[in-house]
Each structure stands twice: as structure tokens, then as C-alpha cells.
């Protein structure tokens, strides 16, 4: 009988290498998304705006033919739809408010827009001052909130959501709580459920920054918590 070969244990050094690789990949992906968003804004956005202006000038020169004017109106509406789609694509790739207005505004507006879009009672409690965190921390907080809100829409059957950001000298914490159906499983729900790949990736991003991401339930809904330590000055 041949000897049974067992796989080598998954040691801490290998885990650290994979964690660092994932962190590097995510940073590169963030930079690529940011670059694509700006290209859409600077190139396509400018071109579409110019086309709208040219169409308006041409429409003024058209003869008073109802068929031509109707066609011009259709073209104008189509351009407006393309401009709006382009704007939405830019926003999904990269939220410029994160850089130009700060993570506090970006998180607050995301919660407000979420409540208006889905008709939920969405509220948030944010620090009075802009948190002093690296961009990598702010990106993880924003992505975690986006993913948490998506999961609420898809699974929670909630009517209320409350978001809290606690900022202190050593760490920053994001909490997303809903009043939905809660979780069917209480142990390691992120790792056990393949449908939560978005949260699994975000958990690894939090770990790469020295933090944690957890999904739990208190019997009256789900609670997503992200804690990120601040780097030393």
C-alpha cells in the first residue's frame, strides 16, 4: 500500500504573502478604476457636452419642418441619456467626492441617496471633523458601506438602516445596522457563504490594513462593522 501524501500546512508566511499580494492587487485596481473614471469624465464627458452644444446650434438653423425638429429632439434626448449613463459609470468606478470633499461627505451622501432611491429610513452619525486617514482607509470604508447597503437591498428586507462612523486617535470604525431579518447563521457568515464574496474581499482588505471586518446579528437585523487602525504619525 502506498503511503498517503498529505498537503503541506498553510503556514503564516504563505498567508502573509498572499495578503500582501491581495493588498497590492486591490491598490492597483483602485488606481485603475480612478484613472478610467477620469478618462470618462475628461474625454467622453467633454465630447458629449460639445455634441449637445453643436446639436443645439444646428437645431436653431433647421427649417420649421416638424419631422426634422422631432428628429432633433430625439437626438437631444438620446445624448442626455448617454451623458447620464456616462456620469453613473464614472461614479461606480470611482467616487470623486472621496478626494475632493472627503470621506465624511462621501459616506453621508451615499447614505442619503440610498434612502431616497429605495424608500428606506436611512440615517447616519458622522464625526464633526474630517477623519485623518490615508486614502487606502477611506476607500475601504466607502466600499464597505457600498457593499453593506447592497446586501441590505438584496437580503435584509429592512425598512431602516443606521450608519455610524466613530473616529478616535488610534482607529476609525464604521458600523452599518439594519432592522431586517438578520442572519440565518451566526458563525463566520462571511467566510461560509459564497454569495458574500464582496464582503470576503473587503475583509481581506481590512486585514491588510491591520483591521477587521465582521458581520453579525443581534436578533433584530444585521450589523456590519469595520475597524481600521490609524498608522502612526
Amino acid at each position: 500500500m502506498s503511503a498517503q501524501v498529505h498537503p503541506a500546512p498553510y503556514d503564516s508566511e504563505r498567508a502573509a504573502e498572499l495578503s500582501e499580494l491581495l493588498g497590492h492587487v486591490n491598490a492597483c485596481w483602485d488606481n485603475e478604476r480612478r484613472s478610467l473614471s477620469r478618462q470618462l469624465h475628461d474625454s467622453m464627458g467633454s465630447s458629449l457636452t460639445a455634441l449637445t452644444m453643436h446639436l443645439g446650434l444646428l437645431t436653431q438653423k433647421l427649417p420649421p419642418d416638424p419631422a426634422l425638429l422631432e428628429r432633433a429632439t430625439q437626438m437631444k434626448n438620446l445624448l442626455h441619456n448617454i451623458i447620464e449613463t456616462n456620469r453613473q459609470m464614472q461614479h461606480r468606478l470611482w467616487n470623486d467626492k472621496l478626494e475632493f470633499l472627503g470621506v465624511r461627505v462621501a459616506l453621508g451622501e451615499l447614505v442619503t441617496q440610498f434612502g431616497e432611491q429605495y424608500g428606506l429610513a436611512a440615517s447616519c452619525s458622522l464625526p464633526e471633523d474630517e477623519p485623518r486617514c490615508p486614502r487606502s482607509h477611506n476607500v475601504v470604508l466607502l466600499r464597505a458601506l457600498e457593499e453593506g447597503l447592497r446586501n441590505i437591498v438584496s437580503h435584509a428586507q429592512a425598512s431602516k438602516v443606521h450608519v455610524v462612523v466613530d473616529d478616535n486617535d488610534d482607529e476609525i470604525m464604521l458600523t452599518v445596522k439594519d432592522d431586517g431579518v438578520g442572519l440565518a447563521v451566526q458563525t463566520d457568515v462571511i467566510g461560509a457563504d459564497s454569495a458574500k464574496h464582496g464582503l470576503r474581499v473587503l475583509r481581506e482588505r481590512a486585514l491588510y490594513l491591520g483591521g477587521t471586518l465582521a458581520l453579525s446579528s443581534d436578533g433584530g437585523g444585521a450589523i456590519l462593522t469595520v475597524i481600521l487602525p490609524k498608522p502612526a504619525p
Side-chain angles (χ1 to χ4, degrees):
M1 180 181 294
S2 60
Q4 186 175 3
V5 179
H6 296 280
Y10 193 83
D11 56 30
S12 58
E13 182 178 352
R14 180 60 174 164
E17 290 177 357
L18 291 176
S19 178
E20 183 175 359
L21 176 60
L22 181 59
H24 174 71
V25 169
N26 282 319
C28 292
W29 179 228
D30 285 338
N31 290 333
E32 186 65 22
R33 292 174 67 154
R34 180 170 174 265
S35 176
L36 288 172
S37 177
R38 292 193 170 181
Q39 288 179 38
L40 286 173
H41 177 273
D42 296 340
S43 179
M44 184 176 292
S46 299
S47 298
L48 291 172
T49 301
L51 281 173
T52 302
M53 294 175 62
H54 292 319
L55 179 60
L57 292 173
L58 288 174
T59 302
Q60 295 176 9
K61 302 296 183 180
L62 288 176
D65 185 330
L68 289 176
L69 294 176
E70 175 64 22
R71 182 61 59 87
T73 300
Q74 293 175 1
M75 293 174 65
K76 182 179 180 180
N77 292 336
L78 178 60
L79 272 173
H80 284 165
N81 290 337
I82 296 174
I83 289 172
E84 177 59 21
T85 300
N86 181 57
R87 187 194 66 79
Q88 293 177 7
M89 291 172 61
Q90 292 174 41
H91 186 79
R92 292 189 66 179
L93 283 169
W94 189 260
N95 190 338
D96 273 342
K97 291 185 176 67
L98 195 64
E99 292 182 88
F100 296 114
L101 299 178
V103 67
R104 183 177 176 276
V105 172
L107 296 175
E109 289 195 359
L110 181 60
V111 173
T112 300
Q113 292 169 1
F114 173 80
E116 293 174 350
Q117 180 177 357
Y118 294 101
L120 300 180
S123 60
C124 59
S125 177
L126 302 172
E128 293 184 3
D129 300 320
E130 178 69 12
R132 295 183 177 273
C133 293
R135 190 180 80 175
S136 57
H137 285 53
N138 294 338
V139 171
V140 170
L141 293 175
L142 183 61
R143 297 298 183 203
L145 178 56
E146 290 173 342
E147 187 67 24
L149 294 178
R150 275 195 293 267
N151 284 336
I152 288 173
V153 172
S154 301
H155 309 294
Q157 303 177 28
S159 61
K160 298 179 182 178
V161 57
H162 185 56
V163 177
V164 180
V165 177
D166 292 314
D167 181 34
N168 56 50
D169 293 336
D170 300 323
E171 64 185 22
I172 186 166
M173 180 171 71
L174 169 73
T175 304
V176 184
K177 187 179 187 308
D178 65 68
D179 66 343
V181 296
L183 305 174
V185 182
Q186 297 298 321
T187 58
D188 196 20
V189 291
I190 297 177
D193 190 347
S194 62
K196 296 183 175 64
H197 287 310
L199 288 177
R200 293 177 67 183
V201 170
L202 284 166
R203 182 173 64 177
E204 292 302 320
R205 296 189 68 165
L207 287 171
Y208 177 70
L209 297 176
T212 61
L213 184 149
L215 183 63
S216 61
S217 179
D218 62 356
I223 304 172
L224 176 66
T225 305
V226 182
I227 303 175
L228 300 177
K230 294 183 177 181

